Amino acid sequence: DTAVSQTPKYLVTQMGNDKSIKCEQNLGHDTMYWYKQDSKKFLKIMFSYNNKELIINETVPNRFSPKSPDKAHLNLHINSLELGDSAVYFCASSQDRQRGGQETQYFGPGTRLLVL
Amino acid sequence: AQSVAQPEDQVNVAEGNPLTVKCTYSVSGNPYLFWYVQYPNRGLQFLLKYITGDNLVKGSYGFEAEFNKSQTSFHLKKPSALVSDSALYFCAVSSVTDKLIFGTGTRLQVFP
């Protein structure tokens, strides 16, 4: 059973398009995250949601909009895609945000986005 | 502000030899330290973490890491490397909040 899953695995699209990436976790965790890994493999947090509430919102263009329909799902919608958005996007989840930074975050397999 | 440094872009080691992947951190407050491994075209897999207690932490696949508060380090070690250990290794730190800050990664290459 996949604990954190993402769809699609690969996404190739043209500049200016709008696309969504979906994430689901079956671990019963309360908190979910989106990370971006650039071409140099540098990983940076974008957003975190706790029980459908936005908690962390790093300096991310407002073309990126996370949506959490329930605590098991966190989707990422990207408007007006740009070349610089090409990256691997990872979803993650952790159990209990009340324990702060102690909780282990579990990552999905990633979505490889290529903007042409 | 929190930060993590992985000073080596790549570490090369012969199979059967011990390996060390270095990590130093900077954080205000108590650090929570993590190691993750990323195989090609895969997600990050959790290896081990230090929260409190014993400075030597044991994790998956025979890896261990030693927390050294005075040197602000959390180096990843394994007594005997395997070719299958070849991957990209990330050190990460968090503190009071669950914001996880990653290092730039170290590519481990184990040669047969």
Side-chain angles (χ1 to χ4, degrees):
Chain A
D1 287 342
T2 304
V4 183
S5 59
Q6 295 179 228
T7 53
K9 191 172 181 180
Y10 298 96
L11 186 52
V12 181
T13 187
Q14 299 287 331
M15 277 176 55
N17 284 352
D18 303 338
K19 291 293 179 185
S20 291
I21 306 171
K22 295 186 176 182
C23 177
E24 176 181 2
Q25 54 94 4
N26 62 7
L27 297 166
H29 287 170
D30 287 333
T31 308
M32 296 183 72
Y33 310 81
W34 278 110
Y35 287 83
K36 179 180 180 181
Q37 185 175 45
D38 63 22
S39 58
K40 296 185 177 179
K41 305 296 186 185
F42 184 61
L43 266 163
K44 191 170 175 6
I45 189 165
M46 299 173 70
F47 303 101
S48 82
Y49 266 74
N50 179 253
N51 208 7
K52 302 194 296 176
E53 180 186 352
L54 180 64
I55 301 298
I56 294 174
N57 184 349
E58 290 296 291
T59 312
V60 177
N62 57 15
R63 299 182 294 104
F64 291 78
S65 52
K67 295 262 188 321
S68 182
D70 55 62
K71 75 173 192 176
H73 295 85
L74 180 62
N75 303 325
L76 184 65
H77 188 76
I78 315 171
N79 289 328
S80 303
L81 277 155
E82 300 177 357
L83 294 176
D85 297 332
S86 296
V88 182
Y89 292 85
F90 287 103
C91 177
S93 72
S94 67
Q95 184 166 15
D96 182 2
R97 191 177 175 273
Q98 297 306 314
R99 285 163 47 82
Q102 299 183 37
E103 291 292 339
T104 300
Q105 294 182 23
Y106 294 91
F107 285 76
T111 295
R112 284 145 188 83
L113 171 65
L114 179 60
V115 182
L116 302 174
Chain B
Q2 298 165 205
S3 66
V4 175
Q6 293 182 244
E8 301 152 318
D9 288 337
Q10 180 151 330
V11 169
N12 299 317
V13 64
E15 188 174 32
N17 282 1
L19 69 87
T20 299
V21 182
K22 295 180 180 177
C23 172
T24 59
Y25 66 90
S26 174
V27 67
S28 52
N30 291 326
Y32 304 127
L33 294 151
F34 299 79
W35 276 101
Y36 285 85
V37 59
Q38 184 177 23
Y39 296 99
N41 298 317
R42 302 283 295 275
L44 277 75
Q45 293 181 31
F46 168 71
L47 278 179
L48 51 81
K49 70 179 179 183
Y50 171 82
I51 302 299
T52 186
D54 194 348
N55 289 344
L56 185 63
V57 179
K58 293 189 184 296
S60 306
Y61 312 121
F63 284 94
E64 58 188 29
E66 186 163 13
F67 171 65
N68 187 317
K69 188 173 183 178
S70 62
Q71 296 185 7
T72 61
S73 67
F74 189 57
H75 301 332
L76 181 70
K77 301 182 184 217
K78 187 173 182 181
S80 177
L82 299 172
V83 172
S84 57
D85 292 330
S86 299
L88 186 58
Y89 289 80
F90 289 96
C91 182
V93 67
S94 63
S95 187
V96 175
T97 72
D98 58 350
K99 185 175 170 182
L100 201 56
I101 303 299
F102 283 88
T104 49
T106 298
R107 190 164 300 282
L108 173 66
Q109 189 72 46
V110 181
F111 296 95

